[in-house]
Amino acid sequence: MSFNHYNTPNIKQETPYTLLPLKSWFPHQTPLLIAGPCSAENPDQLFNSVKDLKLSGAHIIRAGAWKPRTRPGAFEGKGNVALSWIKEVSTAVGLPAITEVANPQHVEEALKAGIDFFWIGARTTVNPFLVQEIANSLNGVDIPVFVKNPVNPDVDLWLGAIERINKAGINRVAAIHRGFSSYEKHLYRNKPFWEIAIELRRKVPALPLICDPSHICGNTQLINYVSQVALDLQYDGLMIEVHNNPSQALSDAQQQLTPTEFKELVQKLVVRSASVDDVFELSKLEDLRDQIDEIDAEIIEKLAHRMNVARTIGKYKKKNNVAILQPERWEEILRTRTQSGIEKQLTREFLLNLLNSIHLESIYQQTMQMNIDSEKKLEQ
Ligand code: PEP
Ligand code: MN
């Protein structure tokens, strides 16, 4: 007897999605630029943050009315009243507005306030019950919905949320890639894992894909770079946090650009064209480069830690009158470290060079420490 259903031929999966291409909802806006503050804090802050954005090239204004904060007690948004400010500035500036909805009540209030588009946040996308409730509350409503990736790197959970919204009859759905949470935060607040977003695109090519460099980076230094990578990977747009006075922002103060910085960023962006295969290859290269950047940051971190310990040893040696240079100890370090490095495919020459420079820096740091102590004594 044979069970040939184990050998099912590779049938192309029928796509469950009915999506309208971004071009049909935004014919001329490529890449689509969404900009504005993390939160609508008060009418002045909101207006001053967004008043010049249209001139700078933005197509949609963003602002949060309800903020999902990690710890209670932080600024959780102004709620309903913020919706009316958002609507007012959007009319004044002449751009549509988008805000975050995290439950059916938010949907109801934001629809009542006349907000043009909704986004679903990363902490909501992880919860299929909640996404389904939001989807149900959207049944029969024709409004574009942008779905952020879940905080954990799970492409199917992201797709599941998109599918739930789409099944509610929303055919203007886009994905927002805002990076993925990880315990170690060296370079990025949320690691990009570009391949996950590109995988989403491969699975559902009709789905518009927007990058949110602000929440990926968590700081302003890398935003230009991440934005350009997204465009190089053929993303359809960017969502960037802009605040008139970032250091005073009530949420995400470290990552918001000033309106001027946003304008400069838009001027620098280069829009390229590439084939889909190129894009996938490029995303792999970007992920590898990200890994190298993270590892380098870890190496520096570890070296700084090592030198910190060396300085403590310097103090100890001083106190106990022990010589800084201990040849036998150093011989032992060289022998054991080169042996384990060679086992891990590193060359002897590289290891000796590296260990020697670490040793020299260590001696320098210890000597400095002793001198500081002596100088302090002299001052007393
Ligand atoms: C935001 O866009 O301000 C936000 C809270 O986003 P995320 O869900 O990506 O954390
Ligand atoms: Mn934010």
Side-chain angles (χ1 to χ4, degrees):
M1 196 194 275
S2 72
F3 294 91
N4 60 12
H5 57 267
Y6 286 123
N7 300 321
T8 317
N10 193 7
I11 302 168
K12 198 169 172 279
Q13 265 194 342
E14 209 180 296
T15 165
Y17 306 92
T18 48
L19 296 164
L20 283 176
L22 194 63
K23 271 200 188 104
S24 71
W25 17 323
F26 293 105
H28 308 297
Q29 293 83 341
T30 45
L32 183 70
L33 296 178
I34 306 170
C38 179
S39 323
E41 300 168 10
N42 61 61
D44 282 350
Q45 165 266 352
L46 183 58
F47 181 70
N48 289 323
S49 299
V50 305
K51 66 178 164 48
D52 297 326
L53 295 184
K54 188 175 182 179
L55 267 179
S56 306
H59 308 111
I60 302 175
I61 285 171
R62 63 147 285 153
W66 299 279
K67 300 309 297 178
R69 305 311 295 277
T70 305
R71 306 279 304 269
F75 173 69
E76 291 186 329
K78 294 283 185 174
N80 281 351
V81 65
L83 296 174
S84 59
W85 307 335
I86 297 171
K87 186 65 195 170
E88 274 165 33
V89 295
S90 131
T91 312
V93 170
L95 288 179
I98 184 167
T99 200
E100 173 170 356
V101 291
N103 61 41
Q105 289 77 24
H106 294 170
V107 169
E108 197 186 321
E109 295 301 336
L111 284 174
K112 234 192 278 167
I115 305 297
D116 307 275
F117 312 124
F118 297 161
W119 88 75
I120 293 180
R123 293 164 194 79
T124 308
T125 310
V126 287
N127 184 341
F129 290 131
L130 208 44
V131 174
Q132 192 57 54
E133 280 184 28
I134 295 173
N136 295 345
S137 71
L138 285 167
N139 227 312
V141 181
D142 184 22
I143 189 165
V145 178
F146 293 65
V147 182
K148 290 208 178 193
N149 66 258
V151 284
N152 54 323
D154 183 340
V155 74
D156 287 325
L157 199 53
W158 195 1
L159 269 177
I162 287 159
E163 207 178 321
R164 286 175 200 277
I165 299 298
N166 194 212
K167 281 209 165 111
I170 307 277
N171 52 20
R172 289 179 293 167
V173 186
I176 300 182
H177 173 209
R178 51 78 80 195
F180 302 88
S181 211
S182 73
Y183 184 67
E184 292 189 341
K185 293 183 172 47
H186 287 295
L187 197 60
Y188 296 112
R189 177 180 176 196
N190 293 293
K191 284 194 180 186
F193 294 126
W194 295 102
E195 270 186 81
I196 295 181
I198 298 300
E199 184 58 19
L200 181 87
R201 164 145 285 179
R202 273 160 76 89
K203 288 189 174 205
V204 193
L207 182 69
L209 181 59
I210 310 291
C211 182
D212 171 348
S214 306
H215 290 87
I216 288 180
C217 299
N219 62 60
T220 55
Q221 290 89 322
L222 289 170
I223 289 188
N224 286 24
Y225 165 71
V226 170
S227 304
Q228 189 57 53
V229 169
L231 294 192
D232 294 348
L233 294 174
Q234 299 278 280
Y235 279 54
D236 299 289
L238 301 169
M239 182 195 246
I240 294 175
E241 287 189 339
V242 180
H243 191 287
N244 65 321
N245 190 358
S247 66
Q248 298 305 309
L250 299 181
S251 59
D252 288 349
Q254 282 157 349
Q255 70 192 32
Q256 305 204 55
L257 298 183
T258 62
T260 312
E261 286 168 338
F262 174 73
K263 185 178 176 189
E264 286 163 2
L265 163 66
V266 175
Q267 283 164 351
K268 279 192 208 129
L269 289 175
V270 182
V271 184
R272 304 185 216 279
S273 55
S275 76
V276 172
D277 282 349
D278 287 344
V279 163
F280 194 57
E281 282 307 310
L282 199 54
S283 78
K284 284 190 202 157
L285 179 62
E286 277 311 325
D287 274 332
L288 292 170
R289 284 184 175 152
D290 283 345
Q291 282 180 40
I292 294 278
D293 291 351
E294 293 267 343
I295 293 167
D296 284 351
E298 279 168 31
I299 292 174
I300 303 277
E301 211 44 58
K302 289 278 177 213
L303 285 172
H305 188 182
R306 193 190 193 284
M307 294 309 156
N308 205 358
V309 176
R311 285 194 292 273
T312 312
I313 292 180
K315 274 190 197 163
Y316 172 91
K317 286 180 177 169
K318 168 95 178 160
K319 190 169 156 221
N320 296 286
N321 241 343
V322 181
I324 286 184
L325 213 56
Q326 304 258 316
E328 319 77 55
R329 162 81 180 143
W330 182 239
E331 284 303 317
E332 175 67 6
I333 287 182
L334 274 185
R335 196 181 55 74
T336 54
R337 310 306 195 255
T338 39
Q339 194 183 327
S340 85
I342 287 167
E343 278 163 16
K344 294 181 175 70
Q345 299 183 17
L346 301 173
T347 63
R348 179 181 298 278
E349 199 189 6
F350 165 71
L351 288 162
L352 291 175
N353 280 332
L354 176 72
L355 290 165
N356 269 324
S357 20
I358 291 176
H359 191 218
L360 282 176
E361 178 71 5
S362 211
I363 291 176
Y364 171 74
Q365 297 270 352
Q366 290 188 25
T367 319
M368 286 284 286
Q369 187 61 52
M370 286 193 164
N371 288 343
I372 287 170
D373 287 350
S374 320
E375 276 168 24
K376 273 190 193 149
K377 269 207 184 115
L378 280 176
E379 279 168 15
Q380 281 164 5

